[in-house]
Amino acid sequence: MKLVYRYRVKSQTGLLNQQSRTVNFVWNYCNERQKDALRFNRRWHTGFDLIKLTTGCSKELGLHSGTVNDVCQQYAKSRAQSHRPYLRYRGRKSLGWVPLKGRELKREGNAFRFAGNTFRVFYSRPLPEGKILDGTNFSRDRRGNWFLNITLEVVEPPARVPVCAIGIDFGLKDFATLSNGDKIASPQIYREAEATLAMAQRACKRRRVKAIHAKIANRRHDFLHKLSIRLVRDFDYIVVGNIHAAALAKTSMAKSVLDAGWSSLRNQLAYKAVKHGAWFEEVDERFTTQICSNCGAMPDSRPKGIADLGVRAWRCSDCGAEHDRDLNAALNILRRGRATLAAGIPVP
């Protein structure tokens, strides 16, 4: 199992700023060579071809040879994934990034050593024993803070017996409704800071705007991490609906949808379930609000489509059961997950 541990860097930030500019230079060089191949109808460069073209330049550039190789390989990989003949140039507005080989990073107490330099970090949590893999890198955020992202290979714990299960229905009025009847209130972090952010933007205070955005992101991450770890520890089997957040972000509900962070929570539940031996399943949530969780029918009295989004409670005309819209959806999501579990799903 692969995990990424993130630490904020205390020292050598000036060196990292300089190296990130050099990394951008190598990236732009790879982009130029790719354009040359297109201009002269030559074979497109692979990552290994770009490594050959940059061999011997590490000392002159002041970068570790493994860093130069990683930049070349990442450029070729990104170009292939985007299905584009070439990519954008990296300039001043690009976030800082310095990749490195995992075997080149050495532990030194609560600090780390790379390429003859010692990087002291805020050791917020202990780093478990394990092999440091490639993909480890230094990255810079919008506020100029540098972070060390360590990709680590650890032993995967055994999966727990799925005894206690829960279904989760995401929403905007309530952030999530659980199948046991609990409702998690939406924190509306962006909405709370919207007025302050607007004032800073109108005053053209760029640093203040960045600080507000960073605070919003940090508060949202803190809320989602605390919620996801609580769910993983309390329940053995977690089922969520495959709500299409990207499509809803193109509607009039865009701000509220993006502020909720449903996709981030699903990603956190997926990897934390593996880490803690729990089960995680994502099921199709179509018609979960319209199907009666008591009799399984789709009665005529059910809420239909976008026009009935305001209907929060309804009565089944077939069996007479009264439903809370979100709780009914969570129960149906859990039932679909249990059906998948009974058919046999792979161990996370």
Side-chain angles (χ1 to χ4, degrees):
M1 180 177 60
K2 296 179 181 179
L3 294 176
V4 178
Y5 286 77
R6 195 165 189 244
Y7 300 96
R8 182 176 168 182
V9 179
K10 288 182 180 179
S11 61
Q12 304 288 356
T13 55
L15 174 64
L16 291 174
N17 286 329
Q18 179 184 355
Q19 290 187 349
S20 67
R21 291 191 291 269
T22 310
V23 165
N24 291 347
F25 175 79
V26 176
W27 179 279
N28 295 339
Y29 174 82
C30 295
N31 210 28
E32 286 290 345
R33 301 292 72 77
Q34 177 63 21
K35 286 189 174 182
D36 289 342
L38 293 170
R39 188 179 301 114
F40 297 107
N41 294 323
R42 296 175 180 171
R43 182 176 63 87
W44 291 12
H45 294 297
T46 64
F48 294 103
D49 295 333
L50 295 173
I51 289 175
K52 289 182 180 179
L53 293 173
T54 56
T55 300
C57 69
S58 59
K59 186 175 181 180
E60 183 178 353
L61 294 176
L63 290 176
H64 194 276
S65 58
T67 299
V68 178
N69 295 347
D70 276 352
V71 174
C72 296
Q73 290 178 344
Q74 185 61 45
Y75 174 85
K77 183 179 178 181
S78 299
R79 181 184 53 77
Q81 288 179 342
S82 61
H83 302 287
R84 295 178 58 188
Y86 56 89
L87 300 177
R88 294 180 180 178
Y89 289 98
R90 291 182 61 89
R92 281 188 173 183
K93 294 185 178 180
S94 301
L95 294 180
W97 168 63
V98 180
L100 55 97
K101 297 290 185 182
R103 61 179 179 272
E104 302 296 339
L105 185 68
K106 306 299 181 183
R107 308 187 195 199
E108 199 173 72
N110 292 347
F112 297 89
R113 191 162 182 81
F114 169 68
N117 298 301
T118 300
F119 296 88
R120 294 184 294 109
V121 300
F122 291 95
Y123 206 65
S124 54
R125 55 176 176 168
L127 184 68
E129 293 296 329
K131 181 181 179 182
I132 299 178
L133 304 176
D134 292 345
T136 300
N137 61 77
F138 292 97
S139 62
R140 186 179 61 197
D141 64 4
R142 291 289 181 185
R143 302 184 70 184
N145 299 321
W146 278 95
F147 295 86
L148 173 59
N149 308 299
I150 303 176
T151 306
L152 202 67
E153 185 175 9
V154 297
V155 179
E156 183 175 331
R160 305 197 304 249
V161 179
V163 176
C164 188
I166 197 71
I168 303 175
D169 176 64
F170 295 119
L172 293 178
K173 183 179 180 181
D174 295 304
F175 177 78
T177 302
L178 309 185
S179 58
N180 60 2
D182 294 341
K183 292 194 175 185
I184 301 170
S186 178
Q188 297 184 348
I189 299 171
Y190 176 78
R191 294 292 186 180
E192 291 181 1
E194 193 172 14
T196 305
L197 179 62
M199 291 177 59
Q201 289 174 335
R202 287 195 296 267
C204 297
K205 297 181 178 180
R206 296 184 180 180
R207 293 184 62 182
R208 178 60 179 160
V209 170
K210 288 183 179 181
I212 295 173
H213 277 298
K215 184 176 181 179
I216 293 171
N218 290 338
R219 288 186 60 194
R220 184 183 297 115
H221 289 161
D222 181 69
F223 168 75
L224 295 177
H225 276 294
K226 288 180 178 178
L227 175 61
S228 59
I229 195 64
R230 178 167 64 87
L231 291 173
V232 168
R233 287 174 176 171
D234 291 347
F235 302 101
D236 304 316
Y237 183 56
I238 302 171
V239 190
V240 300
N242 62 343
I243 186 170
H244 196 355
L248 289 175
K250 297 179 181 178
T251 65
S252 59
M253 301 180 289
K255 281 188 178 181
S256 299
V257 171
L258 295 174
D259 189 23
W262 298 328
S263 299
S264 298
L265 180 63
R266 280 185 301 191
N267 293 336
Q268 291 177 14
L269 287 173
Y271 80 81
K272 288 183 181 181
V274 178
K275 181 180 178 181
H276 292 270
W279 299 66
F280 174 79
E281 183 73 7
E282 189 173 331
V283 299
D284 186 4
E285 70 162 13
R286 288 180 297 179
F287 305 110
T288 52
T289 59
Q290 302 182 34
I291 297 175
C292 176
S293 59
N294 186 44
C295 64
M298 292 182 66
D300 295 334
S301 60
R302 69 186 188 274
K304 303 172 185 177
I306 299 178
D308 288 340
L309 279 177
V311 179
R312 310 312 303 174
W314 59 283
R315 178 191 293 270
C316 177
S317 58
D318 288 359
C319 66
E322 295 185 359
H323 297 295
D324 177 271
R325 179 192 181 102
D326 298 331
L327 178 58
N328 179 69
L331 290 170
N332 286 325
I333 288 173
L334 176 60
R335 182 174 289 112
R336 292 183 181 182
R338 281 176 171 165
T340 309
L341 181 64
I345 63 175
V347 177

